[in-house]
Structures are given as structure tokens and as C-alpha cells.
Amino acid sequence: MNNATSTDKLKQLWLLTRPYVFALGLAFLFTGIMLGLLGFNVWEAFKALITTSFSSKFQIVETFKKFTPLVLTTFAFAIPFQIKFFNIGSTGQMIMGGTIATMLGLGMSSFRVPSALAIILILTAAALTGAFYALIAGALKAYHNINPIISTIMLNFVAMQFTNFVATTPPWQAPLTGHPMSKELPKWMLLPRLFSELHIGFLIALGMVAFVYFIMKKTVIGYEIESVGHNQRAAEIHGINIKKTTLVTFFLGGLLAGLAGGIEVLGVHGRLVEGFAVTSGAEYGTFGTLTALISGAEPLAVPAVAFLMSILLNGADSLQRRLMVPVELVFLTQALIVILVVTMRERFRKR
Amino acid sequence: MAKDITNILEARGVSKRFGEVQALYKVDFSVRKGEIHGLLGENGAGKSTLMNILYGLYKPDEGEIYIEGKRVEIHSPLDSIRLGIGMIHQMSTLVPEFTAVENIVLGTEESGSRLNIDFSRARKEILELSEKFGLRFPLDVKVKELSAGTKQKIEIIRALYRKAKILILDEPTAYLVGDEFDQLLSSLKILVDNGVTVIFITHKIREVMQACHRASVLKGGRMQGTVDIEKTSKEELVSLMFTGQNIDVTDSALPNVIPEPVERSEKPVCVIKNLNTYPIVKDGIVLKDVSFEVYGGEIFGIAGISGNGQKELAEAIVNPSIIASGEVIINGKTTTNLSTIDIFKMGVFYTPEDRVYEAILPTASIKKNLLLGHHRDNAFLGRMRTLRWNRIKGVSRELIKRFNVKTPHEELEIRKLSGGNIQKVVFARALMNPIDLLVTHNPTAGLDMASVKFVFEQLLELRRNGKAVLYLNEDLDELMIVSDRIGVLHEGRLVGIFNRDEFDKNKIGALMIGG
Ligand SMILES: Nc1ncnc2c1ncn2[C@@H]1O[C@H](COP(=O)(O)OP(=O)(O)OP(=O)(O)O)[C@@H](O)[C@H]1O
Ligand SMILES: [Mg+2]
């Protein structure tokens, strides 16, 4: 209506980003103090944390490689979170996806089918595995009102046992290794590289970002999910099936987490390795949860925050390697960011 | 400027802007010690905004506040409580899972050590207060099991327990039924006799005439003036509130609309046959063997004390999954096994009772709210089950114009609209497509007179076009203005049906309470 001047717009932008700027600033301040107290060179540490990811082609690729499963597990949490449910189970869904992918791949290894076909088959199977695994928690919520926080955590344990079983049992087990892992998948089944170590899983993940955006913003299903998130009772009265919507969000979330598992197996490890869903000291699922919380689960904010998080994680690895700073300190920073983002959003709410 | 010591509370030059909306502009407002001061104004006039500023929930852009002549800064409700201001919001702010005593003690410094609350002392004090002011309620029942009227009593006692000298009641009567208003009024009288000052927001001029000493009128964020009730008339108040609009009012201060004669359809649009339902909430009421018909060209009113099966009846029509036995037949077709969306597609729509918790997605845009319930209409669906947002936007703009919703654009969060404008959106959604049956529950709660008139006109327009309306309302006066017939619900049973020429407030009222 009234013509907003450019300073007005800047002010708007500042009001919008202010909580995040303060949260990040304070989180780094606290981390800096901790680093200092522990006797590390604060300047060097921060430099490593932030600039590592851009220091070489190798590091850029490493960052993208972290981003790929991270953005998927972030959505795995963010989609059910749209309707206020906590899917803590993306770890379980991811490793189930990876495990089934391995079993299928090893089973198919003696049939020479075209690479592309094999990859599509295996990734689809991984994604569907994750989806149906998440659906267990979704159904328990929809039909028996069991809190997904509890069911998904339980299902994580089951998934870990299953993965361990496959990695330590013939015919899948790799002979003569100490660490539980499976035999290698044939090379022709692995994800092709874009350049150096960067596999096409990165592109698939970007495709999935577009897919989630499309579902959430353009389709009826997305509108129904959003509506239930705004007001479940009103949504139900106006013809939205709450049970079905619950199932759909868990299915979609699990689909992406399962796909992340398949991509890690076919793109990074080439086999099932116990702990393949862990990066920088914790599961992709855990980092995904944090990332989703920071991004407010907004489909467009998710990839951006996931990318920043990948930079931090990659920086944390190098911090540990080069300066012997324990990665736990970076966990501390991340936890602080989450807590501070939430508090600052409250603090700066307009009165 | 000479200080007027009789003013316990004074606001000078208060302005507040929300984005493009100037909610208040240089408002002066003063309240005398020991009076009941009415605050009137149409929906969106700025009443709640002004009170929220006094209570420290909003920060004014400019202006000053004085209490007993002293300039004060109110940054949060903690400040205002300390200054002796208590506010009772329109929607209950009690913790549903707590009892009355727990709710009242919660968050007070007087509760002794935080780990060891002195409940017996608190109980004694609460009992004394409720005896003194005639506000009685069960102390040890979880408040979620209590009626709106009882919860309000608890909120008033909570404010008094915190030593409030000035009580702000924001639309305390919107959800009161039967004689609850008279009860509230007599308590308020005792309060002011004891030196408490009351600010009373309402849309009902009749209540202001009955209860208040003075009243102020806000319009479009500006103060229109303050009048002495003894020296004014309801016509003068109406003209202050709605300058330039011509609103004819009834004796009970409702807009006076007169239904014209209309031919009733031969076949009923909606047949309710031996309907029994499951409860909507756990251990809630159920419908028992309810049967009646609603014809085209008819407004069928449902009267009853709140909670006697109105919600169950309304919902059974659009959501057959709560039907235990019996059936609902729309235009000759049974709804058994149909979904809500199927029923909407048969030409039925529903505006539920609770505007904020049932009718809207408060944090979504007006556009997305208009879509709700129509989101599977073929007109809005493109390929691959995509929504045609451009079309939805176009339709939203048309509806905003057609229903005269006051908003800068269709992307505004709906909760930022005033109550009257929210209700216009709810009606716009219901009447977006031609429908045969409208089920509407308490559509006028909290609406100003112009908006009530708007709602009545919408119902009469449907009737004129030969459509059927099932109109559920706890306010008998309102029902009697527009209904052709009135059915009375009591404890889940339909205990009587009256034709318009038999309408009798006493007879219907007696049936409502089971007489
Ligand atoms: N938080 C907010 N953000 C944006 N606009 C707001 C906000 N709160 C109120 N408004 C706008 O300010 C104006 C005044 O609103 P207010 O709630 O004070 O009206 P009211 O007189 O209490 O109306 P009602 O009788 O409908 O409750 C309205 O136009 C409303 O849309
Ligand atoms: Mg208000």
C-alpha cells in the first residue's frame, strides 16, 4: 500500500534475521571462550572451522558429500515436524535403507543388468525401506496414539541390531575384517562421479529438495499437511484426514532418510559398514534434527541451513585433525545455536 | 494541565500501528475510580489493542499512561499486575489440567516457597474472596471440565487474589449463556462497591445500558467520546459507534431484520432420522434419537443451553463417522460412509462454533483459509494433484471484495484481522460456491452489530434463494429474529419444535432447561 523505501526493506530484513545473527554470534562467543579456557588458539580454531570447507577442491567436495545425506535427514525430521510430530528415527530409517540396499546389491551382483537400472532399483528399494520403516511409527501414532519420539527411538535400536547382524553374518559379511562390514558391491553398481570424489548422490539430493518443495508448496497433500500443522481441529472439521496425513508425513520423511542410506552405501562406502550413518562423531539423523530445528522446518530454509551445517561439520573434522580440538566442542556450538535461535526468536518477538 | 484525582487510570495520546494498520491513533481514555466503564466499538476499532497496551502485552508507539495521576511505564503484564491491573481475556487463559485453586495460586509470589506452596492458606483466602463477591465455583475440579461462565469467575478471582484494583474484562459476555450475565453483573456491582474499578468491553449495547456508569466509544482507532449512561440512549450509542450507517435496533439491541415471506420447498433438503452419535470429546454428550427435517427456503433454528448436543448435531451432518446409528439424508441421498469432502461436494457447508479453534487456521493466510474445505474442488486442481494457486488467489480477491473483508491483501495472516472480519472470511468460504444447506453454529459470537446484521442477511439471502439453513445458537433472542422454526435440544434429545407463530421466549426457555 504505502511505498516501502529501501531503508524500510533493509529494516524488515534486519528484523527477520536479527534473532539468527544474535544466536550465531553468541554461540561463537561462548565457543570461543571455551576454546580459550581450554588453551586453544581461538583465532586459528575459528579460521579452521569456517574456512576449511573452502580451502581446496577436496574440501569443497567433502562439504558437498556431507550435505547430501544431511539435507535428506533434515527433511526426514522437518516433514513430520510440520504437523508437530518428532521423527527421531531418521537414523534407523537411513541405516535400514542402506542395509537393504546392500543386501539387494549383493544379491544382484551376479546378474549383469545395466548400471543405471541397478542403481535406480537399489536406491528405490532403499527409499521405500526407509519409508515403510518410518510408517511403523506413523501408524503407531495414527492408530494407537503412541508418541513417535518413543517409537522412533526404539526402532533405531532395532535397525542398528539388524545392520549389525547383516554386517557380521554370511553370506553378506566381508571375510577377514575386524570391523563389522559387508562384502564390497561390484564397481558397476556404484554411483558415478561428477568430479573427483563427488558422486551423483549430490544431484539426487538437490532433486529431492525440489521434490519436497513441490510437494509442500504446490500439491494438495502439501496443503493438507500445512493445514494440520496450523490447526488440527479446524483441518479435520473441513475434511482433512488426520490419520492419513500423519502416515503421509512419516512415509515422506522415511523415504528421504532411506534414500540417504542407499546413497551413502552406493556413493561413499561401496558396502555396508557399521556406523556408516555417522559423520563428525554423531549420526546424520541427529544433525538432521538439529538442522531442522534451526531452519524452522521451512522447505526453503532447510537446504541453506543444511549447507551451513555441512561447512561447520567439515570444519570440525579439520579442527580435530589439525588442532586436536575435540569434536564435542563443535557439538556444543551446534547445541548452543539451536537453543539460542529458539530463545532469540522469542526474545525478539514483536510486541 | 490540572490533574483530575478522580481518574484512577488515564491514557493520553496513545497510538499503535501494526504494519499497515493504524490500530490506535492519539487515543485519550480515562477511567474514574470505582466505576464500571464500558468500552464500545465495532470489530477492529482497537478496543483489545488499547487494553493490551494497558496490560503491557503491546508496546505503544507513542502516548503516556497515568495511574492515580502518576506517570507509569508498563513493559509487561508483570508490571501491570504490580500496578493493580488485572485482565480477563476473551479466551480462557487458565491451565485446563489444573484445578481452580492451582490456577489461582500459579505464579503468585504469595505462594510461599516455590517448592512448598501453602495451599490451605490460599484456599482460605480464595474462599473468602468468592464469598465476598458472590463468585462461587468448585475449587478442586480440573478447569477443563467447567463451563465458560465458571472459568470466567475463576479468572476474576485470580485477578482479585493478585490484588487487582482495576479489572479489564475483554468481551466477558460473548460466551455467556442464560442468566450468567445477570450473575456477572451483580458480582461487578459488589466489586465496585468495594472500590474496584471495572473496564468492560462488549458489543452488546443492552449490556452497557444495564451495567455501566460511563462508556467510551472507539471507532477506527480514534476515540469518539465518553458519555454518561444516565444521560444517553441506546440510539445515541449506536450512532456514535456507527456514524453514517443506518442500523435499526430491536429492544434487546439486536439489528432488526425482518424475514420476508418465502415459499418453502416441497421436499426437505436435509432429513435427520433417528440420529444417535458417539461423543466428540471423551465422556461428552451424545445425541439420542434426534429426528427432524430442514426444507429449502427455511431457517431452522436450534436452541439449547451450550453443551446439550449442538456441536454433535452440527458435526454429525458433515462428518458421518461420529454417527452411531440412524442417518442423515441430503437431497435424498444418505451420507452414511461418505467423507466430509464428499458431503461438501453435495452442496453442504459448515461454519463451526469456535472461531479460533475450529473455524480457521489462525497462522495461515486469508487465502489459505478460504481454500480450506475446497482444497479438493476440481476447479482448484491442476495436473498431478497440484493446486492452482493463481486461480485461488483470484477467487480470494473476488471474495474479499464481495464480502467486504477489511484487509490490505489476501496474504495477511488471518489472526491479525478483527473478529468481525475473520467471520466474514469464514462466511465467504462457506458461500464461495452455491450451496443447498448451510450448517452454522453461533456465527455471531463476538461480532459487532453491523457484522451481526451482515450474518443475518447472509442467512436470509440463502433462504430467499430456496436454500436450507440449520442455525444453532445459544442466544434465543437472535434465533427468534431470523428462524422459521426452532427446535430445542436438551441433554442430546430434541424436546420440541416451534413454528414461528408459536415463538415464546418463556416456553422455549423452559424446554431448554428441561422443563
Ligand atoms: N498483532 C496484530 N498484528 C497486526 N494487526 C493487528 C494485530 N492486532 C490487531 N491488529 C489490527 O488492529 C486493529 C484493531 O484490532 P483490535 O483487536 O484491537 O480490535 P477490537 O476493537 O478488539 O475488535 P473486536 O471487537 O473484533 O475484538 C484491527 O484492524 C486488527 O486487524
Ligand atoms: Mg477485541
Side-chain angles (χ1 to χ4, degrees):
Chain A
M1 298 275 121
N2 54 2
N3 36 352
T5 60
S6 59
T7 44
D8 269 358
K9 282 209 180 114
L10 268 179
K11 210 177 143 199
Q12 284 281 323
L13 190 70
W14 169 235
L15 287 180
L16 214 69
T17 50
R18 191 168 60 171
Y20 303 94
V21 174
F22 274 84
L24 272 177
L26 282 173
F28 278 107
L29 183 73
F30 283 136
T31 316
I33 293 173
M34 288 299 285
L35 282 168
L37 287 177
L38 291 170
F40 295 106
N41 181 332
V42 180
W43 173 247
E44 283 297 318
F46 277 151
K47 218 172 86 182
L49 199 55
I50 293 164
T51 58
T52 303
S53 295
F54 309 101
S55 59
S56 65
K57 193 167 150 192
F58 172 78
Q59 291 295 352
I60 293 175
V61 167
E62 282 306 300
T63 308
F64 284 167
K65 274 167 68 187
K66 281 195 196 291
F67 171 82
T68 301
L70 181 62
V71 77
L72 295 175
T73 54
T74 304
F75 277 132
F77 182 85
I79 296 173
F81 191 63
Q82 296 277 326
I83 59 172
K84 317 273 171 1
F85 293 142
F86 285 61
N87 175 19
I88 311 290
S90 51
T91 296
Q93 293 139 26
M94 179 172 167
I95 61 181
M96 280 305 256
T99 307
I100 296 294
T102 310
M103 292 167 78
L104 183 65
L106 290 175
M108 278 170 50
S109 55
S110 49
F111 307 98
R112 187 59 238 244
V113 293
S115 286
L117 181 67
I119 289 171
I120 291 173
L121 260 173
I122 294 173
L123 289 186
T124 308
L128 287 176
T129 302
F132 282 103
Y133 202 57
L135 213 49
I136 299 175
L140 284 172
K141 174 65 205 175
Y143 298 105
H144 297 286
N145 201 21
I146 289 171
N147 190 334
I149 297 183
I150 297 170
S151 55
T152 51
I153 289 179
M154 294 302 162
L155 287 166
N156 281 349
F157 289 121
V158 177
M160 283 175 208
Q161 292 308 320
F162 181 66
T163 303
N164 219 336
F165 169 76
V166 172
T168 55
T169 312
W172 306 290
Q173 184 190 21
L176 310 173
T177 55
H179 192 79
M181 61 176 76
S182 76
K183 291 181 201 147
E184 284 188 347
L185 293 167
K187 289 272 174 292
W188 56 268
M189 240 179 228
L190 303 185
L191 296 185
R193 312 273 137 177
L194 291 167
F195 61 89
S196 95
E197 287 289 298
L198 187 63
H199 53 80
I200 59 160
F202 176 65
L203 291 187
I204 299 176
L206 289 184
M208 286 299 133
V209 171
F211 170 72
V212 172
Y213 181 80
F214 173 76
I215 294 276
M216 293 306 297
K217 298 289 176 190
K218 303 287 177 198
T219 68
V220 179
I221 292 290
Y223 173 78
E224 293 189 333
I225 294 172
E226 192 191 329
S227 299
V228 174
H230 284 299
N231 182 352
Q232 174 169 334
R233 172 98 178 115
E236 186 172 23
I237 286 177
H238 292 88
I240 296 175
N241 186 328
I242 306 297
K243 290 192 168 85
K244 202 188 94 191
T245 311
T246 306
L247 296 180
V248 168
T249 59
F250 275 90
F251 186 87
L252 284 174
L255 193 79
L256 299 175
L259 179 62
I263 288 176
E264 286 302 282
V265 166
L266 295 194
V268 177
H269 304 283
R271 55 161 61 159
L272 184 66
V273 184
E274 194 211 24
F276 77 97
V278 170
T279 186
S280 310
E283 282 91 7
Y284 277 113
T286 311
F287 289 124
T289 304
L290 293 181
T291 312
L293 287 173
I294 296 175
S295 66
E298 246 307 297
L300 275 184
V302 163
V305 180
F307 186 64
L308 292 178
M309 196 63 118
S310 314
I311 293 174
L312 269 190
L313 290 179
N314 203 35
D317 288 353
S318 115
L319 211 56
Q320 186 170 32
R321 273 194 316 271
R322 301 218 321 259
L323 299 175
M324 311 295 273
V325 174
V327 268
E328 280 77 7
L329 253 164
V330 178
F331 296 173
L332 178 80
T333 317
Q334 285 161 348
L336 281 172
I337 294 176
V338 174
I339 294 167
L340 287 163
V341 161
V342 178
T343 356
M344 290 296 146
R345 269 193 216 135
E346 238 353 77
R347 171 75 185 73
F348 286 118
R349 221 182 39 199
K350 223 172 140 230
R351 280 205 306 134
Chain B
M1 198 188 202
K3 270 189 201 141
D4 186 351
I5 45 155
T6 59
N7 280 347
I8 186 165
L9 175 77
E10 197 176 338
R12 285 191 208 149
V14 170
S15 300
K16 175 76 182 172
R17 202 186 169 85
F18 294 108
E20 290 146 64
V21 181
Q22 187 77 46
L24 294 173
Y25 185 73
K26 295 201 189 301
V27 166
D28 295 327
F29 175 62
S30 59
V31 183
R32 290 186 193 148
K33 193 165 171 96
E35 71 172 344
I36 302 182
H37 193 114
L39 184 56
L40 285 163
E42 47 188 331
N43 291 120
K47 304 179 296 293
S48 298
T49 304
L50 180 58
M51 293 304 117
N52 284 332
I53 286 174
L54 294 178
Y55 194 56
L57 285 169
Y58 291 156
K59 194 172 131 212
D61 300 336
E62 59 171 347
E64 291 144 24
I65 298 165
Y66 297 82
I67 289 191
E68 291 177 322
K70 276 210 297 286
R71 171 95 194 260
V72 293
E73 295 281 341
I74 303 176
H75 296 291
S76 75
L78 281 179
D79 288 345
S80 67
I81 290 169
R82 205 170 30 75
L83 290 164
I85 302 176
M87 182 153 174
I88 285 94
H89 294 268
Q90 188 175 319
M91 295 290 167
S92 166
T93 56
L94 300 173
V95 183
E97 290 294 327
F98 279 11
T99 65
V101 174
E102 289 165 344
N103 264 293
I104 292 170
V105 174
L106 187 74
T108 52
E109 282 108 321
E110 286 90 328
S111 50
S113 127
R114 280 190 186 251
L115 293 175
N116 182 19
I117 297 171
D118 189 351
F119 273 110
S120 60
R121 216 191 76 203
R123 288 178 75 89
K124 228 179 100 211
E125 204 175 321
I126 291 166
L127 275 175
E128 277 167 20
L129 284 172
S130 57
E131 276 309 311
K132 186 165 162 195
F133 297 111
L135 293 161
R136 289 182 201 91
F137 47 80
L139 292 184
D140 300 308
V141 177
K142 284 186 182 174
V143 304
K144 68 173 176 189
E145 288 163 27
L146 302 173
S147 72
T150 311
K151 283 190 217 164
Q152 197 173 70
K153 292 178 187 167
I154 299 173
E155 297 216 41
I156 296 176
I157 293 294
R158 177 170 68 174
L160 296 172
Y161 185 82
R162 295 176 178 178
K163 312 269 183 291
K165 293 176 295 182
I166 304 168
L167 266 190
I168 301 171
L169 302 164
D170 193 352
E171 293 193 41
T173 57
Y175 294 93
L176 293 189
V177 288
D179 59 354
E180 285 180 329
F181 171 68
D182 296 326
Q183 289 177 26
L184 176 66
L185 184 55
S186 60
S187 298
L188 293 185
K189 293 233 159 97
I190 308 175
L191 278 171
V192 294
D193 288 343
N194 281 276
V196 177
T197 307
V198 176
I199 302 174
F200 182 78
I201 303 183
T202 182
H203 287 294
K204 298 179 186 154
I205 291 181
R206 135 182 68 128
E207 294 175 354
V208 172
M209 300 299 293
Q210 232 176 310
C212 300
H213 302 106
R214 295 195 305 155
S216 299
V217 177
L218 272 173
K219 181 175 165 59
R222 285 162 205 262
M223 187 54 80
Q224 296 290 101
T226 299
V227 294
D228 265 323
I229 294 300
E230 285 188 347
K231 295 183 203 139
T232 191
S233 64
K234 63 177 190 281
E235 285 75 19
E236 191 192 347
L237 283 175
V238 173
S239 75
L240 266 179
M241 284 171 71
F242 302 98
T243 3
Q245 294 176 49
N246 196 1
I247 298 186
D248 185 16
V249 292
T250 65
D251 286 340
S252 46
L254 286 167
N256 200 6
V257 293
I258 298 158
E260 62 208 76
V262 164
E263 192 80 4
R264 189 169 108 161
S265 69
E266 245 157 63
K267 285 199 194 123
V269 172
C270 172
V271 180
I272 311 271
K273 224 156 110 187
N274 302 339
L275 194 64
N276 291 276
T277 64
Y278 301 112
I280 295 180
V281 291
K282 203 165 149 268
D283 304 323
I285 186 139
V286 296
L287 287 189
K288 293 171 198 141
D289 236 10
V290 170
S291 299
F292 66 95
E293 284 116 42
V294 189
Y295 289 83
E298 173 178 58
I299 297 177
F300 192 98
I302 295 284
I305 311 276
S306 172
N308 272 277
Q310 291 91 325
K311 198 185 280 279
E312 289 68 18
L313 172 59
E315 219 169 308
I317 294 174
V318 295
N319 178 10
S321 74
I322 69 161
I323 297 180
S325 69
E327 61 180 338
V328 174
I329 299 164
I330 309 277
N331 285 332
K333 278 210 320 242
T334 175
T335 65
T336 316
N337 296 327
L338 293 186
S339 71
T340 301
I341 291 289
D342 295 334
I343 292 171
F344 284 177
K345 286 188 175 170
M346 290 165 76
V348 177
F349 218 90
Y350 173 40
T351 72
E353 173 182 25
D354 194 309
R355 200 170 305 141
V356 177
Y357 295 111
E358 298 182 326
I360 61 167
L361 312 170
T363 41
S365 65
I366 295 172
K367 181 179 80 183
K368 286 183 176 165
N369 270 284
L370 284 168
L371 183 62
L372 190 61
H374 298 291
H375 55 279
R376 286 175 184 263
D377 286 4
N378 289 333
F380 294 140
L381 290 186
R383 277 180 302 131
M384 286 168 57
R385 310 185 60 66
T386 50
L387 283 164
R388 298 167 69 180
W389 283 113
N390 268 332
R391 184 175 198 133
I392 295 161
K393 185 187 208 131
V395 170
S396 301
R397 289 189 174 168
E398 274 168 35
L399 287 169
I400 286 172
K401 250 202 222 128
R402 183 170 136 210
F403 287 86
N404 195 15
V405 181
K406 285 200 197 104
T407 174
H409 45 74
E410 71 283 349
E411 300 292 349
L412 193 80
E413 260 185 34
I414 193 169
R415 64 173 168 166
K416 294 188 175 161
L417 295 178
S418 76
N421 280 302
I422 292 177
Q423 194 64 352
K424 284 183 181 172
V425 175
V426 172
F427 266 82
R429 175 210 287 155
L431 305 178
M432 177 188 292
N433 301 323
I435 55 170
D436 292 333
L437 171 68
L438 175 69
V439 179
T440 183
H441 194 178
N442 279 3
T444 55
L447 295 192
D448 68 36
M449 214 177 303
S451 306
V452 172
K453 191 168 166 222
F454 165 85
V455 168
F456 285 174
E457 276 162 2
Q458 297 303 318
L459 302 187
L460 290 174
E461 162 104 12
L462 284 167
R463 176 177 176 273
R464 190 164 33 236
N465 294 332
K467 313 301 186 193
V469 177
L470 182 66
Y471 174 31
L472 307 101
N473 198 328
E474 273 97 69
D475 187 323
L476 198 48
D477 288 321
E478 284 192 10
L479 273 182
M480 287 176 24
I481 290 179
V482 290
S483 302
D484 293 289
R485 291 190 290 158
I486 291 179
V488 183
L489 272 181
H490 179 67
E491 291 184 349
R493 290 179 196 280
L494 192 68
V495 292
I497 297 180
F498 296 79
N499 288 321
R500 192 169 174 94
D501 51 16
E502 310 163 339
F503 284 0
D504 174 337
K505 220 178 152 175
N506 294 327
K507 273 195 204 148
I508 298 177
L511 276 186
M512 282 166 65
I513 54 174

